[in-house]
Structures are given as C-alpha cells and as structure tokens.
Amino acid sequence: MKHLFGNRAFVLLMVSDFMQNIGIWIRNMALLFFIMEQSNHDPVAVSLLTVIEYAPIFVISMVGGVLADRWRPKRTMIWGDILSFISILLILFVVYAGYWQAVFAVTLVSAVVSQFSQPSSMKIIKRCLPDEHVPAATALSQTSMSLFIILGPMVGTTIYQAFGLQASLISLLILFGASAIVLAFLPSTVDEPSKDSVSAGSFVKDMKAGFAYIGSSRLLKVLLVVYVLLALGSGLVQPLDIFVIIERLQLEMSSVQWFTALEGLGMLIGGVIAAVIAGKVKGSYLLFAGLAFLGLSTFVEVLSQWPILTGSMRFVTGVLMAMAQTVLMAVMMQQVEEKFIGRLNGVMTPIFTGMLLIGSGLTGWYMSVTSIVVVYFTAGALFLLSSFISMKLPIAKVPVQETEVPVRVETAAKA
C-alpha cells in the first residue's frame, strides 16, 4: 500500500473523491427530506429526484465518455467542480427567494457533471499508476465507497436536521470548492494530451471507433454480458428487500436498515481484503467466487426464516461482491487503452443502469403472478450464470490493443 500513498496524484485524487462523496450524500439526504416536507410527501416529487439522477446516464453518458477521451482529464474534473459550485451558489439564492423547486437543478447538474468527471478520474489513475498497482487502487476506491454507504446517510441526515437546507447547500459549496483546489495541485503530467489523442477526429467517428473497439474485443464483450446479467438480477431483488424482512423474517420494516448496514460493512471489509491480496490471487477466481456466492446466498436469503442466517448471508455477500467489483474495475482499467476508457465507461454505465431499471420495473408484476421465492430464485440463477460466464474472461497482462479494431474504423478515428 505504500506505493499508492506515496503517489502524489493518487492521494490528491482520493482526497477529492472523499470530498465529493461527502457532498453527494449531504445532497441526497437534504434534498430528499426537503422535497418530502415541501411537497407534503408527494411520491411524484420524490420519484422525480430519481428520474433526474438517472436520466443523464442514458442521455449524456456516452457523450461524456467521448468528450472525456478528447479533453484533458485534470481540467475536466476541475471545471466539473467549478460548475457544481456555481450552480449550487445560484440555487442557494433562488431558494432564499422562495422558489424551492430549484433544488431539482442541484441533482441534475451533479448528475450531468459526473458523466464527465468519472471517466476523467479513471484516466488519471491509469496515467499515474503502473498496471500492477491498479487492483489495489480500485480496492481502496471500493472501500471508500462502502464506507460512505454506511456513514453517508448519517452525515447527510444530521446536517439537514440540525441546520437545515441552507446549511447543507453551503457545505456543498465548501466541499466542491475545496475539491477543485485539491485537483489544481495534481501534477501537470497527468493532464498532458495522449500521444494517440482522438481530438483531431469528428465526434461521431470517435463514438463509432469506441463501439468498434468494444465489439472487436472478446474480453469486453464477455464483460458486457456479465454486467447485463448482474444488473438484471440485482434489479429483480432490490425492490423486494423489504418484503423479505416483513414476510420471511416477520420483522418490522425499520429492521431493513440493519441488514443494509451489514452488507455495507461486508463491502468495507471486502474492499480492504481486496487491497491487501491484490495481485496475489487470480482475478478471475475472485470474480467467480463473488458472483457464485451471490447466487447461492440469494437462494438462502429468500428461504431463510432466521434473521441471523439472513444477516450472515448479507455480510458475506458484501465481502465477496466488493472483491468481485474490484476485479471488474481493475480489468477495465488494466486492459483497456487509455484513449478508450471514457467511451467504455459511457457504454457500460447506461447498459448496467438500464438493465437494473428493467429488472426493478418487472419485479412487481413478476412477483404478483408467481411468488417472492420464484423471483429470488430467478435472480439467483442469473447471478450463477454470470459467475460461470465470468470464467471465460480472457484476462491478460497487456491492454486490448486498437489493432483489433477493423481497419476502416481505425482509419476514421485518426482522420
């Protein structure tokens, strides 16, 4: 781990991510509570938050990925924080004037900016770290995200309940402003244009080259299938957590928070373990183990009537899934050419989100015509299928090269 914390660019990036994650959770909780109060618990107003958050993923993700490949990553991330800062400042004044509906714009701007900042962050990590250190770096990132799943809602709720919406928005100003300052200290080497910069080509040609690059790689196509199955299965079971707690375990609705916390704790520990053993255990084994156990635990969870057994399954699943997610991210970072990272992210993210929403949309109807046991067993089967498919990932030690892309597209990308 010393090699990571001794890398100035990586440390600064982690500090910036830390601030942004705090800001995201403060925003999420503050806007949720504020809209609930202002709309008299109107479910349409609350659901609009989710729509605003997910819509940019479908509309802008691919565009953001292409532009992130063309732009300098350091400048892109700094301008993202600056734009977030300005939008929050404007909305703060509008809210003071009494137009509370303006808070929806906070979520929209943040969601749009993230479609540019996330792939830029991945490009910086790939530039500042050798490939052998990428698994440990992604494991640390996973650990940080898991920590915020546990602590984020508490921090956001405490600030809103103690100080109100204005204080929450002011804290966002401070966090995004500080993040931009931290990013400004990133070494200039991470912001240099790539030797194979695609900026000279047209936007449409760059996008086509990205799709051709993915289509030409067996690894990326297998990875895409794993993502689709994992997202579809997750979408089927996520909305039904509360029914498992109530119907199978005979507990109060409020008990769902403790099972979520157990899974979050497992993800935190799994991220730490992944950081320690990164490079020592074959990635495909970790990925298979995580996905396979997720499938088996899904079967056990819906059949279990004992809270201790269900909680144990949630915890262990969290550990192994954190390790599996670390492997998936490390594979993308290690074996994709730098100039295609943004476009790969722009394809994978909306596909995963779309399948997740499709699964969530179908699960109510599916459960009404079958049962909760059938739904969970279907999801478990999808997880098991994804685990066996993951064993076919041709994980290599060298990146997927653009030479695999058909000549006509490669030529167009360089035009």
Side-chain angles (χ1 to χ4, degrees):
M1 304 298 290
K2 291 182 180 179
H3 51 268
L4 292 179
F5 292 109
N7 187 298
R8 177 187 166 197
F10 177 76
V11 171
L12 290 173
L13 204 59
M14 287 293 290
V15 172
S16 172
D17 285 345
F18 184 83
M19 293 178 179
Q20 290 178 1
N21 276 317
I22 294 177
I24 287 170
W25 277 108
I26 292 174
R27 179 206 71 191
N28 288 348
M29 303 312 297
L31 296 188
L32 175 62
F33 294 138
F34 181 72
I35 289 172
M36 286 283 286
E37 293 171 0
Q38 295 296 319
S39 66
N40 294 319
H41 296 196
D42 183 1
V44 175
V46 175
S47 64
L48 184 58
L49 269 179
T50 303
V51 173
I52 290 175
E53 183 176 358
Y54 281 105
I57 294 178
F58 296 103
V59 179
I60 301 174
S61 184
M62 187 60 192
V63 175
V66 174
L67 294 178
D69 282 335
R70 297 163 68 95
W71 294 345
R72 295 175 181 242
K74 174 182 173 181
R75 294 184 187 181
T76 301
M77 294 188 70
I78 292 175
W79 273 107
D81 284 342
I82 291 174
L83 290 174
S84 295
F85 181 93
I86 294 173
S87 67
I88 295 166
L89 186 63
L90 292 174
I91 290 165
L92 187 60
F93 287 122
V94 174
V95 170
Y96 270 123
Y99 301 99
W100 67 268
Q101 293 87 348
V103 297
F104 287 108
V106 176
T107 302
L108 179 61
V109 172
S110 179
V112 170
V113 168
S114 68
Q115 304 311 309
F116 297 88
S117 295
Q118 184 179 358
S120 297
S121 176
M122 294 170 64
K123 288 175 73 71
I124 291 176
I125 290 178
K126 188 170 180 65
R127 286 185 177 186
C128 72
L129 293 175
D131 284 346
E132 60 268 22
H133 295 165
V134 168
T138 53
L140 281 178
S141 178
Q142 177 65 49
T143 301
S144 176
M145 291 178 62
S146 302
L147 182 63
F148 279 104
I149 290 175
I150 301 171
L151 301 179
M154 300 180 197
V155 175
T157 300
T158 300
I159 292 177
Y160 181 82
Q161 291 181 341
F163 305 106
L165 178 68
Q166 285 80 6
S168 297
L169 291 177
I170 290 172
S171 66
L172 289 177
L173 285 175
I174 296 172
L175 287 167
F176 281 111
S179 175
I181 294 173
V182 168
L183 291 172
F185 286 96
L186 282 170
S188 58
T189 53
V190 304
D191 211 33
E192 294 176 355
S194 172
K195 294 179 181 179
D196 301 313
S197 176
V198 296
S199 59
S202 73
F203 179 87
V204 175
K205 288 179 179 178
D206 292 343
M207 186 177 291
K208 289 181 179 179
F211 281 113
Y213 178 75
I214 294 171
S216 68
S217 167
R218 179 169 174 260
L219 180 142
L220 295 180
K221 286 187 287 188
V222 172
L223 194 64
L224 189 60
V225 173
V226 172
Y227 263 75
V228 167
L229 294 174
L230 181 60
L232 185 58
S234 298
L236 287 173
V237 296
Q238 274 187 3
L240 303 184
D241 272 355
I242 191 69
F243 294 98
V244 171
I245 302 301
I246 297 173
E247 296 181 7
R248 303 299 300 176
L249 301 182
Q250 301 294 311
L251 297 175
E252 296 292 331
M253 285 192 300
S254 59
S255 299
V256 71
Q257 62 181 313
W258 305 115
F259 292 91
T260 302
L262 276 173
E263 186 173 0
L265 179 61
M267 292 180 69
L268 178 63
I269 295 174
V272 174
I273 294 174
V276 173
I277 67 174
K280 300 178 182 178
V281 179
K282 192 173 180 180
S284 58
Y285 295 160
L286 289 179
L287 185 58
F288 172 79
L291 295 174
F293 189 85
L294 178 61
L296 295 176
S297 67
T298 302
F299 298 150
V300 174
E301 192 173 322
V302 74
L303 295 176
S304 170
Q305 295 181 327
W306 300 283
I308 293 178
L309 176 59
T310 302
S312 299
M313 289 293 101
R314 286 288 187 90
F315 175 77
V316 179
T317 298
V319 173
L320 291 174
M321 279 309 299
M323 297 168 70
Q325 289 171 4
T326 298
V327 173
L328 286 171
M329 184 60 67
V331 168
M332 287 178 59
M333 293 288 291
Q334 287 177 309
Q335 301 191 36
V336 175
E337 283 192 84
E338 178 192 309
K339 62 180 178 178
F340 285 107
I341 284 180
R343 279 165 284 182
L344 178 64
N345 184 78
V347 171
M348 293 293 193
T349 301
I351 287 178
F352 186 89
T353 304
M355 296 307 297
L356 188 71
L357 294 179
I358 289 173
S360 297
L362 290 175
T363 191
W365 167 81
Y366 191 25
M367 180 176 168
S368 67
V369 299
T370 56
S371 68
I372 190 172
V373 174
V374 173
V375 176
Y376 265 70
F377 267 60
T378 301
L382 290 172
F383 296 144
L384 284 177
L385 179 59
S386 71
S387 71
F388 288 110
I389 292 176
S390 73
M391 293 296 290
K392 296 185 177 295
L393 280 171
I395 299 178
K397 293 184 179 181
V398 295
V400 178
Q401 297 297 317
E402 189 187 7
T403 51
E404 296 183 30
V405 180
V407 175
R408 66 180 187 277
V409 178
E410 184 182 64
T411 303
K414 294 179 179 178

